[in-house]
């Protein structure tokens, strides 16, 4: 029964799993986690939106061929992860044509258009093996104005080339994740880092006029865009007292109203998107 229900949300065929170095039991656990999130009542995820547009988030569980720093980061994320979803990278998109905006190091500019079915699209994708790398695609229903505002903001960042990947920010995020999963005596706490950051930001504000933030890691960039353009996402963080600066890729499926729509390996992304659109006609305009 579970496998039959799973087939509605993923293009991956059961027999193909035996040919790939992946843990199918883990994938089933992931699906149970996503299914639980899908079953939330409208009251828990805010009231539904009439004739929504959709912003898409894509989480990656890559198999690296030659990217030692990313591999080490992936191992650390798996160790500190408190959800069932193994994801070491996240990107944001506005359609399902396999064109997502992701923030990574490498290349001339850090914010790149990432294409799963063409790993030559950017330096990060070139370090991964597409047949054994997996992706999870989510859809966030928003109003048309929110959709246009988010798309304009991301495109502005992309065209300006000013946004940067904050490599060093991975360290306080790692400390936060360790403290969240297993509080360790003697380690700096999230409060320590926030106090330091607040003090530093006050100094910087005295030296220059305020403007849009420019440095992120991949998941905080996606979250920052959504918080800036979708009020209910900002309300969620404010009401929960959550600092978006410490959101990891695996945390993104907890955003209110977000829906898991399909998964596949990278090579099969477009086929999986087409199958999803056949099952969910509201996504056909995004192909």
């Amino acid at each position: 029964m579970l496998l039959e229900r799973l087939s509605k949300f993923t293009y991956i065929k059961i027999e193909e799993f035996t040919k790939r170095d992946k843990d199918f039991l883990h994938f089933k656990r992931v699906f149970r986690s996503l299914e639980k999130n899908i079953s939330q009542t409208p009251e828990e995820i805010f009231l539904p939106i009439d004739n929504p547009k959709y912003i898409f988030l894509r989480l990656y569980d890559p198999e690296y061929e030659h990217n030692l720093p990313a591999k080490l980061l992936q191992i650390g994320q798996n160790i500190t992860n408190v959800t069932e979803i193994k994801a070491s990278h996240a990107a944001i998109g506005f359609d399902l044509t396999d064109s997502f905006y992701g923030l990574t190091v490498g290349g001339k500019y850090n914010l790149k258009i990432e294409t799963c079915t063409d790993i030559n699209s950017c330096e990060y994708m070139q370090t991964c093996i597409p047949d054994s790398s997996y992706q999870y695609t989510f859809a966030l229903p928003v109003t048309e104005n929110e959709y246009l505002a988010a798309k304009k903001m991301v495109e502005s960042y992309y065209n300006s080339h000013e946004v940067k990947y904050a490599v060093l920010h991975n360290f306080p995020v790692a400390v936060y994740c360790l403290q969240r999963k297993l509080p360790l005596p003697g380690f700096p706490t999230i409060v320590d880092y926030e106090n330091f950051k607040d003090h530093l930001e006050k100094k910087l504000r005295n030296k220059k006029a305020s403007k849009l933030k420019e440095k992120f890691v991949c998941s905080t960039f996606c979250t920052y865009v959504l918080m800036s353009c979708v009020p209910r996402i900002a309300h969620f963080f404010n009401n929960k007292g959550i600092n978006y600066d410490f959101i990891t890729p695996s945390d993104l499926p907890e955003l209110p109203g977000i829906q898991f729509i399909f998964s596949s390996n990278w090579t099969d992304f477009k086929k999986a998107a087409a199958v999803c659109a056949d099952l969910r006609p509201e996504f056909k305009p995004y192909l």
Side-chain angles (χ1 to χ4, degrees):
M1 179 63 70
L2 176 61
L3 298 185
E4 292 176 359
R5 299 179 68 183
L6 178 61
S7 66
K8 296 180 181 179
F9 293 92
T10 176
Y11 177 78
I12 304 172
K13 297 179 181 178
I14 304 307
E15 60 268 25
E16 292 179 344
F17 270 87
T18 59
K19 303 176 185 177
R20 296 172 182 163
D21 187 18
K22 276 291 175 183
D23 183 354
F24 184 55
L25 292 178
H26 170 76
F27 191 86
K28 290 198 292 185
R29 290 197 299 271
V30 170
F31 179 72
R32 291 193 188 102
S33 174
L34 297 171
E35 186 179 41
K36 181 179 178 181
N37 191 47
I38 292 169
S39 65
Q40 289 179 327
T41 64
E43 289 77 18
E44 292 174 311
I45 60 174
F46 298 94
L47 295 175
I49 299 170
D50 293 331
N51 301 316
K53 299 278 287 183
Y54 291 95
I55 297 173
F56 301 96
L57 294 178
R58 187 161 69 183
L59 306 188
Y60 301 74
D61 182 14
E63 183 76 25
Y64 292 112
E65 185 172 17
H66 49 82
N67 191 337
L68 181 59
K71 183 64 176 178
L72 293 174
L73 180 60
Q74 182 183 49
I75 292 172
Q77 288 170 325
N78 290 341
I79 292 172
T80 59
N81 188 19
V82 295
T83 72
E84 290 285 357
I85 300 168
K86 292 171 61 178
S88 57
H89 181 48
I92 187 170
F94 302 94
D95 56 46
L96 295 174
T97 62
D98 195 15
S99 180
F100 281 66
Y101 296 88
L103 190 62
T104 58
V105 293
K108 189 174 181 180
Y109 306 116
N110 289 171
L111 184 60
K112 310 171 183 69
I113 293 179
E114 298 171 349
T115 304
C116 284
T117 53
D118 178 14
I119 62 171
N120 293 319
S121 58
C122 73
E123 291 79 0
Y124 171 78
M125 310 299 275
Q126 291 171 8
T127 67
C128 304
I129 304 171
D131 283 341
S132 53
S133 296
Y134 284 76
Q135 63 78 33
Y136 302 91
T137 298
F138 296 79
L140 180 70
V142 296
T143 67
E144 183 172 5
N145 287 340
E146 291 165 351
Y147 174 89
L148 293 174
K151 189 171 187 289
K152 180 179 179 181
M153 184 176 184
V154 172
E155 289 176 344
S156 177
Y157 267 125
Y158 179 76
N159 293 327
S160 71
H161 306 306
E162 292 181 357
V163 64
K164 302 295 182 184
Y165 186 89
V167 177
L168 295 180
H169 187 59
N170 284 304
F171 293 101
V173 171
V175 171
Y176 169 69
C177 290
L178 280 171
Q179 290 286 71
R180 181 174 64 172
K181 186 168 186 177
L182 180 65
L184 300 174
F187 271 66
T189 66
I190 195 65
V191 175
D192 295 330
Y193 177 73
E194 286 181 338
N195 289 339
F196 166 77
K197 189 183 72 157
D198 290 343
H199 180 66
L200 179 63
E201 287 182 345
K202 287 178 182 177
K203 283 188 174 181
L204 293 176
R205 278 197 296 269
N206 291 333
K207 293 184 178 181
K208 65 180 182 179
S210 62
K211 59 179 181 180
L212 285 176
K213 186 173 176 178
E214 295 175 351
K215 292 186 177 181
F216 308 87
V217 294
C218 61
S219 50
T220 61
F221 175 73
C222 296
T223 309
Y224 183 75
V225 170
L226 295 177
M227 287 180 62
S228 300
C229 302
V230 185
R232 64 179 176 148
I233 300 299
H235 287 317
F236 171 77
F237 280 89
N238 291 335
N239 294 340
K240 297 284 186 180
I242 301 172
N243 187 337
Y244 85 94
D245 229 2
F246 298 91
I247 293 297
T248 67
S250 295
D251 293 326
L252 291 172
E254 301 301 316
L255 295 177
I258 198 164
Q259 307 168 20
F260 168 61
I261 57 174
F262 67 90
S263 179
S264 71
N265 72 341
W266 288 11
T267 302
D268 291 338
F269 177 85
K270 291 184 178 180
K271 295 177 183 177
V275 171
C276 174
D278 284 340
L279 296 171
R280 301 278 300 273
E282 65 268 33
F283 295 126
K284 282 191 175 181
Y286 297 93
L287 293 176

